[in-house]
């Protein structure tokens, strides 16, 4: 699978979600979402973190940048959808371990998964509040004991990626960082309606519903200006 450097951030350009998922399984990868913000604000530390793993185009900004670099068939792959694609395709063949969210959120997530995916094989799960080194070591030992094929960690970047790297040293699997996906999945956080998502206007919907995001969204203007000027 091809990739390009976008402001030094190695971003893969899958032509389908199936291709990305198969690549990740073959290489026992850590999947890291890449969007316009991560490209624009990349530091040596954040670049290295993504480049050690498999960065994929989670947002339309990353897709446009990849297409401008020549990858015309690249598809946008929202992380909040990708993990459910993995579950759906491999619920009978793979085992899953879930980490993240508040206790009530992770429990609601597991209940909904069991309802929607009747054949899902869940190794274990726990909330995302890992406060001590002892708790982290206990988590790693539990994962080593259960030997899941897939580990999802929803804690926000870069915390979730750094944790997944530490776990991966002890247990090889496919890993994906999910940010707030459990909250979206359980309805605690509302995602933009389908029309907005389909037309790549999810960012605008968020801005309308959360005007305080204007300071964050204004940076997207810089991103698109740099893209137009071929600075990536």
């Amino acid at each position: 699978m091809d990739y390009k450097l976008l402001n030094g951030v190695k971003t893969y350009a899958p032509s389908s979600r199936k291709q990305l998922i198969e690549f990740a399984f073959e290489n026992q990868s850590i999947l890291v979402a890449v969007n316009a913000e991560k490209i624009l604000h990349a530091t040596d530390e954040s670049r290295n973190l993504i480049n050690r793993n498999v960065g994929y185009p989670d947002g339309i900004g990353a897709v446009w940048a990849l297409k401008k670099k020549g990858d015309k068939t690249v598809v946008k792959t929202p992380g909040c959808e990708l993990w459910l694609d993995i579950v759906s395709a491999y619920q009978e063949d793979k085992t899953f371990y879930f980490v993240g969210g508040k206790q009530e959120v992770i429990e609601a997530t597991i209940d909904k998964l069991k309802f929607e995916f009747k054949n899902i094989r869940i190794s274990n799960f726990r909330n995302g509040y890992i406060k001590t080194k002892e708790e982290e070591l206990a988590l790693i030992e539990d994962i080593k004991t259960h030997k899941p094929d897939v580990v999802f960690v929803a804690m926000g970047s870069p915390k979730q990626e750094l944790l997944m790297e530490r776990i991966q040293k002890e247990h090889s699997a496919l890993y994906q960082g999910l940010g707030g996906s459990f909250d979206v999945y359980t309805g605690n956080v509302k995602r933009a309606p389908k029309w907005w998502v389909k037309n790549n206007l999810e960012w605008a919907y968020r801005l309308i519903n959360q005007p305080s995001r204007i300071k964050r969204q204004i940076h997207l203007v810089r991103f698109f200006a740099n893209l137009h000027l071929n600075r990536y």
Side-chain angles (χ1 to χ4, degrees), residues 45-121:
E45 184 178 5
S46 67
R47 286 188 191 95
N48 290 337
L49 179 58
I50 296 171
N51 295 353
R52 289 195 298 266
N53 300 298
V54 174
Y56 64 91
D58 169 80
I60 191 61
V63 170
W64 286 340
L66 287 167
K67 286 187 175 182
K68 197 168 180 64
K69 289 265 191 175
D71 287 296
K72 302 303 182 184
T73 62
V74 61
V75 295
K76 186 176 79 167
T77 311
C80 62
E81 298 174 8
L82 180 62
W83 74 283
L84 291 171
D85 292 337
I86 296 171
V87 170
S88 179
Y90 293 94
Q91 59 176 309
E92 297 183 31
D93 303 318
K94 305 293 184 182
T95 55
F96 300 87
Y97 200 110
F98 299 83
V99 181
K102 297 178 180 178
Q103 187 63 28
E104 59 268 28
V105 171
I106 188 65
E107 288 179 0
T109 297
I110 297 303
D111 288 344
K112 186 174 180 180
L113 285 168
K114 288 179 177 179
F115 177 78
E116 292 189 337
F117 304 98
K118 302 300 184 184
N119 298 312
I120 190 170
R121 300 163 62 196

Side-chain angles (χ1 to χ4, degrees), residues 115-131:
F115 177 78
E116 292 189 337
F117 304 98
K118 302 300 184 184
N119 298 312
I120 190 170
R121 300 163 62 196
I122 298 174
S123 296
N124 207 353
F125 64 92
R126 67 148 292 154
N127 64 52
Y129 292 83
I130 301 170
K131 299 178 181 179

